[in-house]
Amino acid sequence: MTMVKIVEYKAASPEVKAVYDEIMTVRKSDWVNNFWKVLASSPATLKRIWTNVKEVMSPGALDPLTKEMIYIAVSVTNNCEYCIHSHTAGARAKGMTDEMFAELLAVVGLANETNRLANGYQIPVDPQFKPEQ
Amino acid sequence: MTMVKIVEYKAASPEVKAVYDEIMTVRKSDWVNNFWKVLASSPATLKRIWTNVKEVMSPGALDPLTKEMIYIAVSVTNNCEYCIHSHTAGARAKGMTDEMFAELLAVVGLANETNRLANGYQIPVDPQFKPEQ
Amino acid sequence: MTMVKIVEYKAASPEVKAVYDEIMTVRKSDWVNNFWKVLASSPATLKRIWTNVKEVMSPGALDPLTKEMIYIAVSVTNNCEYCIHSHTAGARAKGMTDEMFAELLAVVGLANETNRLANGYQIPVDPQFKPEQ
Amino acid sequence: MTMVKIVEYKAASPEVKAVYDEIMTVRKSDWVNNFWKVLASSPATLKRIWTNVKEVMSPGALDPLTKEMIYIAVSVTNNCEYCIHSHTAGARAKGMTDEMFAELLAVVGLANETNRLANGYQIPVDPQFKPEQ
Amino acid sequence: MTMVKIVEYKAASPEVKAVYDEIMTVRKSDWVNNFWKVLASSPATLKRIWTNVKEVMSPGALDPLTKEMIYIAVSVTNNCEYCIHSHTAGARAKGMTDEMFAELLAVVGLANETNRLANGYQIPVDPQFKPEQ
Amino acid sequence: MTMVKIVEYKAASPEVKAVYDEIMTVRKSDWVNNFWKVLASSPATLKRIWTNVKEVMSPGALDPLTKEMIYIAVSVTNNCEYCIHSHTAGARAKGMTDEMFAELLAVVGLANETNRLANGYQIPVDPQFKPEQ
């Protein structure tokens, strides 16, 4: 039960179509996924979020696959079904194997566990971990 | 205000000392951080969690630095101060630069944002993202 | 797969019916939504939560629409599908437009992002933000 | 840096004092903890929350110690420092031993881990777990 | 849309079958639930998580029913649909009544509320709650 | 223990100074808060996030005070200490009274409670709440 209308390519305004076209060009894809077609109900949001995704997810000091796996780690922790599916598909397209996915989820699970042990016992940060500045 | 007593090496039982020794050997370190010294109040928990960390964080299909960054992504999302500090120190020791850290946090922030846009609009998963089985 | 039986009006005890009647009166509505019909499996919980909702959501220093939007912000952050739907319906009934909904979600998304940047970088609170007392 | 003024007993209005008195009577205590003294900045909130706590935390189908441990489980998962301390103190006063606390945190940690494995793999609920109605 | 293939008993490797057999023996059950059949896509994860569950959930200072209810409290707070269903079924099998379930959820709800009041007002921990060491 | 160096105005690059200047101009302020001075360790992040905040938080269909209160609701739910302080200061500067703050937190608390009741009981969304499209 999506909260707003999905804006299909054919029904989109020129402004929205321009973003859709850029998404498909950057991703070398011939379709636009629902995330963007729903954001398009607010063209300003569509444009703003796409600009952010384009900048943050492009190759830099971290490669695109590592970035996708970090995205999955957050989405699993927050339990965002849509994002788990879209970014797992994205990571697989960039080369994530079954073994890598299993290890990724194992780390995510363990981190969620030890986060609570650290919080539950209220463990003080060791001075050795203090960043030098 | 830690909830239980911190077990220092000198005061530790032989069982606990054995875990501390293994931690220092595996990590090529000459000290044990508070996380373990607090868990040691329950030797069964200490041993169990260390066994998990050793297995999950060792090199596999993912390299240890990638695993540390995934750990940071989860810890930041959950706001675990201890874990943010310990795993950022761990990642830096494995080669994470300032640029990598900045990109990591940028992805974590963006994922937390788009997770909520996907949830808020209740966006349906595209059939194209459905895993083949 | 609801965890307990839904208590329909006709099958309700007088105690539960009285709460249902008050809900419909206060809301000028001729039906009771599932939230209450499920809570009714524990009449004490039904009565207690309704008393809280009635007190907290009534007009005060904040108007009812603002309160509904705050409710949506929390429900989206926690990913409560039921609450997102029920409070978005409630906010729309009180006058929330598509533009307001889009801006609400934009703020919720951004806040979830910057919350993690603040946590990830462990940014110290500026003394200027300290409440005067 | 508390956001509002703490209302000490001596400076409290008769309405607030009456709640403080009832808290001390019910708890057989001669002091009121900060949670209530901060809520007292909004007497309606103070009264409402105390009424809820009194009803929910009193002995029923679950004993008070079990309720305190459930409270800790939630507070640790959410990382609420105040609540971890206050409810751990409450649980200890009701008989929670070091061993019980260690097992409680072990379950909390494990549940946080397996919650993410279930979410990350998007595991379907078995029909056998479907509640009969 | 599960992310990996479910490994049925007949198609399982001897290593995986051995874990399935142990699960059924320990639980006095004649079937294995999806959680394990999905984890089995990574036999190392299956074995590791089962070892943890077996150790953490066995009777100790806390009885198994209390542990299941703590598991539910965490799963509800995190909104893990699978875990809510599996552990509620587990708790009911161990004797949890409708009244106990209603009180459990009442505590979970209240704790999630007061956690945010404590955080929102930034309430300082009372020195009386400081653990003695 | 901030994770990176704080970039003070005097030590900032022209690129960073330009953002600081714009922040002070837009906010009619003569100082820059730590959030921006920490983000400045990554000038691209500083510029990107500021662009987002400027666009999202400016007056639109929702007024700036309502937006600040929504920001607080998210920050309290996520327990981001920095963000709670900075956005509460921001909301107070825009006219939030003690009464409004108390009602805001009351709604945030209640929403966090009922979110868990809805999740815990796995309450189905009423068809009446389904958005028309």
Side-chain angles (χ1 to χ4, degrees):
Chain A
M1 291 192 275
T2 310
M3 306 307 283
V4 296
K5 245 191 288 197
I6 288 183
V7 180
E8 297 295 348
Y9 188 89
K10 287 188 178 176
S13 68
E15 183 189 5
V16 165
K17 261 185 188 148
V19 178
Y20 285 2
D21 286 338
E22 193 183 336
I23 291 172
M24 290 187 285
T25 302
V26 168
R27 298 194 163 171
K28 293 172 184 132
S29 166
D30 61 355
W31 64 289
V32 172
N33 55 308
N34 285 336
F35 183 72
W36 306 110
K37 294 196 290 189
V38 167
L39 289 197
S41 66
S42 165
T45 301
L46 172 69
K47 203 176 164 63
R48 183 174 59 82
I49 297 295
W50 166 244
T51 303
N52 277 272
V53 167
K54 199 172 43 172
E55 180 175 336
V56 171
M57 298 304 282
S58 66
L62 299 179
D63 62 280
L65 175 52
T66 299
K67 290 184 173 183
E68 288 288 5
M69 291 192 298
I70 292 165
Y71 225 114
I72 295 171
V74 171
S75 303
V76 168
T77 297
N78 287 331
N79 193 14
C80 176
E81 185 186 351
Y82 186 85
C83 314
I84 292 170
H85 277 96
S86 59
H87 289 280
T88 300
R92 287 199 181 278
K94 290 180 183 66
M96 183 178 71
T97 63
D98 286 352
E99 287 69 29
M100 293 164 78
F101 184 59
E103 292 191 13
L104 164 57
L105 291 188
V107 177
V108 170
L110 185 65
N112 272 288
E113 180 175 44
T114 59
N115 280 190
R116 270 59 183 212
L117 293 174
N119 291 344
Y121 283 113
Q122 294 282 304
I123 303 176
V125 179
D126 305 79
Q128 292 93 330
F129 291 149
K130 191 173 171 168
E132 290 168 36
Q133 276 162 22
Chain B
M1 290 191 276
T2 309
M3 306 306 284
V4 296
K5 245 192 289 198
I6 289 183
V7 181
E8 298 294 350
Y9 189 89
K10 286 190 178 177
S13 69
E15 185 190 5
V16 165
K17 261 185 188 152
V19 178
Y20 286 0
D21 286 338
E22 194 183 336
I23 291 171
M24 290 188 286
T25 302
V26 167
R27 300 194 162 172
K28 293 173 185 131
S29 166
D30 61 354
W31 63 290
V32 172
N33 56 307
N34 284 336
F35 182 73
W36 306 110
K37 294 196 288 190
V38 167
L39 288 198
S41 65
S42 163
T45 301
L46 172 70
K47 201 175 167 62
R48 184 174 59 83
I49 297 296
W50 166 243
T51 302
N52 278 271
V53 167
K54 199 171 45 173
E55 181 176 334
V56 170
M57 298 304 283
S58 66
L62 299 179
D63 62 280
L65 174 52
T66 299
K67 290 184 174 183
E68 288 287 3
M69 291 192 297
I70 292 164
Y71 225 114
I72 294 171
V74 171
S75 303
V76 168
T77 298
N78 288 330
N79 194 12
C80 175
E81 185 185 352
Y82 186 86
C83 314
I84 292 170
H85 276 96
S86 60
H87 289 279
T88 299
R92 288 198 180 279
K94 292 180 181 66
M96 184 177 70
T97 63
D98 286 353
E99 287 70 29
M100 293 165 78
F101 184 59
E103 292 191 13
L104 164 57
L105 291 188
V107 176
V108 169
L110 185 65
N112 271 289
E113 179 176 44
T114 60
N115 280 192
R116 270 60 183 213
L117 293 174
N119 291 344
Y121 283 113
Q122 294 281 304
I123 302 177
V125 178
D126 305 78
Q128 293 93 329
F129 291 149
K130 191 171 171 171
E132 292 168 35
Q133 277 163 22
Chain C
M1 289 192 276
T2 310
M3 306 307 284
V4 297
K5 246 191 288 198
I6 289 183
V7 181
E8 298 294 348
Y9 189 90
K10 287 189 178 178
S13 68
E15 184 190 4
V16 165
K17 261 186 187 149
V19 178
Y20 286 1
D21 286 337
E22 193 182 337
I23 291 171
M24 290 188 285
T25 302
V26 168
R27 299 194 165 172
K28 293 172 185 135
S29 166
D30 61 354
W31 63 290
V32 172
N33 56 308
N34 285 336
F35 182 73
W36 306 110
K37 293 196 290 190
V38 167
L39 289 198
S41 65
S42 164
T45 301
L46 173 68
K47 203 176 165 61
R48 183 174 58 83
I49 298 295
W50 167 244
T51 304
N52 277 271
V53 167
K54 199 172 42 173
E55 179 175 336
V56 171
M57 298 304 283
S58 66
L62 299 179
D63 63 279
L65 174 52
T66 299
K67 289 183 174 184
E68 287 288 4
M69 291 193 297
I70 292 165
Y71 225 113
I72 295 171
V74 171
S75 303
V76 168
T77 298
N78 287 331
N79 193 14
C80 176
E81 185 185 351
Y82 186 86
C83 315
I84 292 170
H85 277 96
S86 60
H87 289 279
T88 299
R92 287 200 182 277
K94 292 181 182 65
M96 183 178 71
T97 63
D98 287 352
E99 288 68 31
M100 293 164 79
F101 184 59
E103 293 191 13
L104 164 58
L105 290 188
V107 176
V108 170
L110 185 65
N112 271 288
E113 180 175 44
T114 59
N115 280 191
R116 270 59 183 214
L117 293 174
N119 291 343
Y121 283 113
Q122 295 282 303
I123 303 177
V125 179
D126 305 78
Q128 293 92 330
F129 290 149
K130 191 173 170 167
E132 290 166 37
Q133 276 161 24
Chain D
M1 289 191 276
T2 309
M3 306 307 283
V4 297
K5 245 191 289 196
I6 289 182
V7 180
E8 297 294 348
Y9 188 90
K10 287 190 178 176
S13 68
E15 184 189 4
V16 165
K17 261 186 188 150
V19 178
Y20 286 1
D21 286 338
E22 193 183 337
I23 290 171
M24 290 188 284
T25 302
V26 168
R27 299 195 163 170
K28 292 171 186 135
S29 166
D30 60 355
W31 64 289
V32 172
N33 56 307
N34 284 336
F35 183 73
W36 306 110
K37 293 195 290 190
V38 167
L39 288 198
S41 65
S42 163
T45 301
L46 172 70
K47 201 175 166 63
R48 183 174 58 82
I49 298 295
W50 167 244
T51 303
N52 277 272
V53 167
K54 199 172 43 172
E55 180 175 336
V56 171
M57 299 304 284
S58 65
L62 299 178
D63 62 280
L65 174 52
T66 299
K67 291 184 173 185
E68 287 288 4
M69 290 193 297
I70 292 165
Y71 225 114
I72 295 171
V74 171
S75 303
V76 167
T77 298
N78 288 330
N79 193 14
C80 176
E81 185 185 352
Y82 186 85
C83 315
I84 292 170
H85 277 96
S86 59
H87 289 279
T88 300
R92 287 199 182 278
K94 291 181 182 65
M96 184 177 70
T97 63
D98 286 352
E99 288 69 30
M100 294 165 79
F101 184 59
E103 292 192 11
L104 164 58
L105 290 188
V107 176
V108 169
L110 186 64
N112 272 289
E113 179 176 45
T114 60
N115 279 192
R116 270 61 183 213
L117 293 174
N119 291 344
Y121 284 113
Q122 294 281 305
I123 303 177
V125 178
D126 304 78
Q128 292 93 330
F129 290 149
K130 192 173 170 168
E132 291 168 34
Q133 276 163 23
Chain E
M1 291 191 276
T2 310
M3 306 307 283
V4 297
K5 245 192 289 198
I6 288 183
V7 181
E8 297 294 349
Y9 188 91
K10 285 189 179 176
S13 69
E15 184 189 5
V16 165
K17 261 184 189 152
V19 178
Y20 286 0
D21 286 337
E22 193 182 337
I23 291 171
M24 290 188 285
T25 302
V26 168
R27 298 192 165 174
K28 292 172 187 135
S29 164
D30 60 355
W31 64 289
V32 172
N33 55 308
N34 284 337
F35 182 73
W36 306 109
K37 293 196 289 188
V38 167
L39 288 197
S41 65
S42 164
T45 302
L46 172 69
K47 203 175 164 64
R48 182 174 60 83
I49 297 295
W50 167 244
T51 303
N52 277 272
V53 167
K54 199 172 43 173
E55 180 175 336
V56 171
M57 298 303 284
S58 65
L62 299 178
D63 63 281
L65 175 53
T66 299
K67 290 183 174 184
E68 288 288 3
M69 290 193 297
I70 292 165
Y71 225 113
I72 295 171
V74 171
S75 304
V76 168
T77 298
N78 288 330
N79 193 14
C80 175
E81 184 185 353
Y82 186 86
C83 314
I84 292 170
H85 277 97
S86 60
H87 289 279
T88 299
R92 287 199 181 279
K94 291 181 182 66
M96 183 178 70
T97 63
D98 286 352
E99 288 68 30
M100 293 165 78
F101 183 60
E103 292 191 13
L104 164 57
L105 291 188
V107 176
V108 169
L110 186 65
N112 272 287
E113 179 175 45
T114 59
N115 280 192
R116 269 60 182 212
L117 293 174
N119 292 343
Y121 283 113
Q122 294 281 305
I123 302 177
V125 179
D126 306 76
Q128 292 92 330
F129 290 148
K130 191 172 172 168
E132 290 168 35
Q133 276 162 25
Chain F
M1 289 192 277
T2 309
M3 306 306 284
V4 297
K5 245 191 288 199
I6 289 182
V7 181
E8 297 294 347
Y9 189 89
K10 287 190 178 177
S13 68
E15 184 189 5
V16 165
K17 263 185 186 150
V19 178
Y20 286 0
D21 285 337
E22 193 183 335
I23 291 172
M24 291 187 285
T25 302
V26 168
R27 300 196 162 170
K28 292 170 186 137
S29 165
D30 61 354
W31 64 289
V32 172
N33 56 309
N34 285 336
F35 183 72
W36 306 109
K37 294 196 288 189
V38 167
L39 289 198
S41 65
S42 164
T45 301
L46 171 69
K47 202 175 165 62
R48 183 174 60 83
I49 298 295
W50 166 243
T51 303
N52 277 272
V53 167
K54 199 172 42 172
E55 181 176 335
V56 171
M57 298 304 283
S58 65
L62 298 179
D63 63 280
L65 174 53
T66 299
K67 290 184 174 183
E68 289 287 5
M69 291 192 297
I70 293 165
Y71 225 113
I72 295 171
V74 171
S75 304
V76 167
T77 298
N78 288 329
N79 193 14
C80 176
E81 185 185 352
Y82 186 85
C83 314
I84 293 170
H85 277 96
S86 59
H87 289 279
T88 300
R92 288 199 180 277
K94 292 181 182 66
M96 184 178 70
T97 63
D98 286 352
E99 287 70 28
M100 293 165 78
F101 184 59
E103 292 191 13
L104 164 58
L105 291 188
V107 177
V108 169
L110 186 65
N112 271 289
E113 180 176 44
T114 60
N115 280 191
R116 270 60 183 213
L117 293 174
N119 292 343
Y121 283 113
Q122 295 281 304
I123 302 176
V125 178
D126 305 78
Q128 293 93 329
F129 291 148
K130 191 172 171 168
E132 292 168 34
Q133 275 162 25

